[in-house]
Amino acid sequence: MWRTLKHFLLFAVLQFGGFALNLTLLVHAQDQSGFISIDCGLATNSSYTEKETGINYISDESFIETNESKPYWSLRVFPQGTRNCYKINVTRGTKYLIRASFLYGNYDDQYRLPEFQLHLGPNLWDSVKFESASTVANKELIHVPLLNYIHVCLVDTNKGVPFISAIELRTLPNTIYQAQEGSLALDSRYPDDIYDRFWYGYDRDEWTQLNTSSSINTNNTYQPPSVVLATAATPKNVDDSVNIFWLPSDNTAKYYVYMHFAEVEKLPGNESRQFNITRNGELYSGLFAPKYLSVSTIFSLSDWSRGQYITLSIIKAGNSTLPPILNAFETYMVKDFAEPETNQQDGNNYWSS
Ligand SMILES: *[C@@H]1O[C@H](CO)[C@@H](O)[C@H](O)[C@H]1NC(C)=O
Ligand SMILES: *[C@@H]1O[C@H](CO)[C@@H](O)[C@H](O)[C@H]1NC(C)=O
Ligand SMILES: *[C@@H]1O[C@H](CO)[C@@H](O)[C@H](O)[C@H]1NC(C)=O
Ligand SMILES: *[C@@H]1O[C@H](CO)[C@@H](O)[C@H](O)[C@H]1NC(C)=O
Ligand SMILES: *[C@@H]1O[C@H](CO)[C@@H](O)[C@H](O)[C@H]1NC(C)=O
Ligand SMILES: *[C@@H]1O[C@H](CO)[C@@H](O)[C@H](O)[C@H]1NC(C)=O
Ligand SMILES: *[C@@H]1O[C@H](CO)[C@@H](O)[C@H](O)[C@H]1NC(C)=O
Ligand SMILES: *[C@@H]1O[C@H](CO)[C@@H](O)[C@H](O)[C@H]1NC(C)=O
Ligand SMILES: *[C@@H]1O[C@H](CO)[C@@H](O)[C@H](O)[C@H]1NC(C)=O
């Protein structure tokens, strides 16, 4: 699971324990207002409903601003031009989860993984690299556009032809994931997750899993899905702490972490579960007891340390009879987009407006 840790922890939305999804239950429970789901390379005007999630995808044809592309097996390639953009209408001032997905799949029979850049307007969002031809690279951002549109751009860096498989936008409540500045980046679904965040299973050898078949009250700002909270990691050894750690990908990166807790066991009167949380050894959150079948989220109010390992430890309190638990957590890296979006038309030949 280290690969998962390294790859996803930095930007990711993670889930502990196994999946026990009952998708049918939720498919009709939520609507897709605020969702823009674009399947790049799909034939003009066509659309479809993806079976597992029930999400409606549409063709990217009306969003591309250049005609330098050609559709190919549900991805779109940009063999010409250094910079090619999608212009997508949004509601300015609204918080969006923006996800761009890339699956190479050796579509060109070249067996050469390309490498290129992804930009949001004038700002570098991330570099797109692949671990293999069959791995999906997901790039995600939480962003509040200042204009009524955004530009999602692919920039050729002479390391292969840029392409894109899908672009998805989901609106989030403005109260969720408050960063001090900039936009939040994550790497990780609907319909379990009303905001269509991606959650990944995560496990470590020294952990075991607690679970419940009851549903969990997830009614807080973050609304993590009940199925995600129904499982919790706990140390095999009662006195151990639950530790999660990662090395920041660059030493200027800033991270926000959200830990979600819910007690999944009905505790008898003589048992208690209480813990403290430390970050790199310093007390981060004092004595805490998760509520039975009800979510509590502990999050960082400001950014965290730079350039060194970040270790979070959930430590059993002295008088607690039970070991600590962690049901789910999310980490976000802060991206500083220095260029204002209003500059995004400067020096660009491809944008038509
Ligand atoms: C999923 O949930 C529905 C509605 O509660 C239920 O009828 C169905 O049996 C469940 N399916 C599984 C596989 O648990
Ligand atoms: C796509 O839809 C538009 C508007 O409905 C129509 O004008 C156009 O001819 C359609 N294109 C194709 C290729 O079907
Ligand atoms: C794009 O290019 C193709 C051929 O090069 C042409 O047939 C088509 O009309 C062009 N579409 C637009 C929107 O310019
Ligand atoms: C985006 O908004 C502009 C201006 O309001 C409008 O002209 C254009 O048709 C819209 N594009 C799409 C794809 O909805
Ligand atoms: C909880 O997990 C155990 C094994 O880890 C499994 O046997 C059991 O069926 C699970 N219970 C629920 C309610 O998911
Ligand atoms: C969720 O909580 C809010 C405020 O605490 C409350 O107004 C709302 O009715 C709750 N929703 C549900 C489904 O419990
Ligand atoms: C609580 O009570 C149960 C049953 O009476 C017992 O098995 C358990 O060891 C007790 N726990 C503690 C911490 O005393
Ligand atoms: C947990 O935090 C409390 C203060 O909130 C402190 O008194 C206690 O010593 C801490 N326990 C451990 C095990 O760190
Ligand atoms: C454990 O100790 C803390 C004070 O350190 C106290 O607030 C808490 O109620 C105690 N819990 C139990 C179960 O005794």
Side-chain angles (χ1 to χ4, degrees):
M1 294 306 284
W2 174 249
R3 192 195 64 78
T4 308
L5 175 72
K6 199 169 153 220
H7 186 71
F8 294 125
L9 238 177
L10 296 178
F11 317 95
V13 183
L14 295 160
Q15 179 211 349
F16 286 90
F19 275 86
L21 300 184
N22 186 345
L23 294 172
T24 51
L25 183 66
L26 292 144
V27 165
H28 304 292
Q30 284 126 12
D31 69 67
Q32 291 174 39
S33 59
F35 281 29
I36 300 172
S37 310
I38 303 167
D39 188 341
C40 304
L42 207 62
T44 312
N45 291 353
S46 61
S47 68
Y48 65 92
T49 300
E50 206 271 318
K51 262 194 253 150
E52 261 182 38
T53 57
I55 293 175
N56 304 310
Y57 286 88
I58 56 174
S59 162
D60 61 341
E61 202 74 48
S62 59
F63 300 91
I64 338 176
E65 302 203 287
T66 63
N67 195 16
E68 314 223 343
S69 58
K70 59 174 189 219
Y72 205 106
W73 182 68
S74 201
L75 57 81
R76 190 169 292 272
V77 297
F78 297 95
Q80 269 149 37
T82 313
R83 185 184 173 90
N84 286 281
C85 299
Y86 285 83
K87 182 180 180 181
I88 302 168
N89 286 353
V90 296
T91 309
R92 73 163 177 243
T94 295
K95 192 167 283 188
Y96 283 89
L97 167 60
I98 308 171
R99 179 186 304 131
S101 309
F102 307 85
L103 174 61
Y104 172 56
N106 193 33
Y107 74 88
D108 54 0
D109 287 326
Q110 300 291 306
Y111 295 98
R112 264 205 305 266
L113 299 171
E115 213 178 297
F116 48 90
Q117 286 183 351
L118 176 65
H119 287 214
L120 184 72
N123 292 294
L124 174 65
W125 169 351
D126 208 347
S127 293
V128 182
K129 296 177 190 167
F130 298 90
E131 286 175 14
S132 77
S134 57
T135 337
V136 181
N138 286 311
K139 301 295 177 184
E140 299 194 321
L141 264 186
I142 293 172
H143 181 64
V144 181
L146 298 171
L147 302 173
N148 275 324
Y149 56 89
I150 56 162
H151 279 125
V152 174
C153 305
L154 301 176
V155 176
D156 194 331
T157 54
N158 293 319
K159 289 178 185 164
V161 177
F163 73 88
I164 190 163
S165 306
I167 302 173
E168 297 168 289
L169 275 80
R170 281 84 179 89
T171 52
L172 299 172
N174 281 334
T175 50
I176 201 170
Y177 308 126
Q178 305 261 18
Q180 302 284 324
E181 53 184 298
S183 302
L184 292 169
L186 55 136
D187 222 9
S188 149
R189 162 126 242 201
Y190 186 84
D192 291 285
D193 191 305
I194 60 164
Y195 304 132
D196 198 23
R197 286 165 295 198
F198 282 8
W199 298 85
Y200 297 96
Y202 183 63
D203 200 6
R204 294 170 61 89
D205 287 345
E206 60 268 33
W207 293 348
T208 180
Q209 183 188 307
L210 298 179
N211 57 24
T212 178
S213 52
S214 305
S215 73
I216 295 185
N217 175 2
T218 62
N219 190 14
N220 72 1
T221 307
Y222 306 96
Q223 298 196 48
S226 178
V227 287
V228 166
L229 295 179
T231 57
T234 193
K236 284 176 182 159
N237 182 341
V238 179
D239 293 318
D240 283 353
S241 49
V242 172
N243 298 315
I244 51 175
F245 50 88
W246 69 97
L247 184 64
S249 59
D250 74 78
N251 58 12
T252 58
K254 294 188 260 175
Y255 291 87
Y256 288 77
V257 178
Y258 299 79
M259 283 175 275
H260 305 292
F261 299 94
E263 180 57 73
V264 292
E265 292 186 323
K266 183 102 194 114
L267 304 187
N270 64 341
E271 302 275 5
S272 66
R273 192 190 311 280
Q274 288 183 309
F275 44 81
N276 290 347
I277 304 172
T278 62
R279 194 240 314 168
N280 291 355
E282 283 169 30
L283 189 67
Y284 166 59
S285 173
L287 212 56
F288 175 74
K291 285 178 284 193
Y292 183 56
L293 301 183
S294 185
V295 68
S296 304
T297 299
I298 292 182
F299 59 97
S300 53
L301 283 169
S302 59
D303 62 275
W304 279 359
S305 67
R306 301 154 185 241
Q308 56 177 323
Y309 260 98
I310 296 175
T311 303
L312 291 171
S313 300
I314 304 167
I315 304 169
K316 181 174 172 290
N319 54 1
S320 177
T321 63
L322 296 169
I325 57 169
L326 177 59
N327 303 66
F329 70 101
E330 308 172 60
T331 67
Y332 296 88
M333 187 176 80
V334 179
K335 286 259 177 199
D336 286 329
F337 283 162
E339 284 293 319
E341 283 165 89
T342 44
N343 286 357
Q344 62 183 258
Q345 291 171 41
D346 296 351
N348 193 295
N349 300 323
Y350 298 101
W351 290 323
S352 57
S353 54

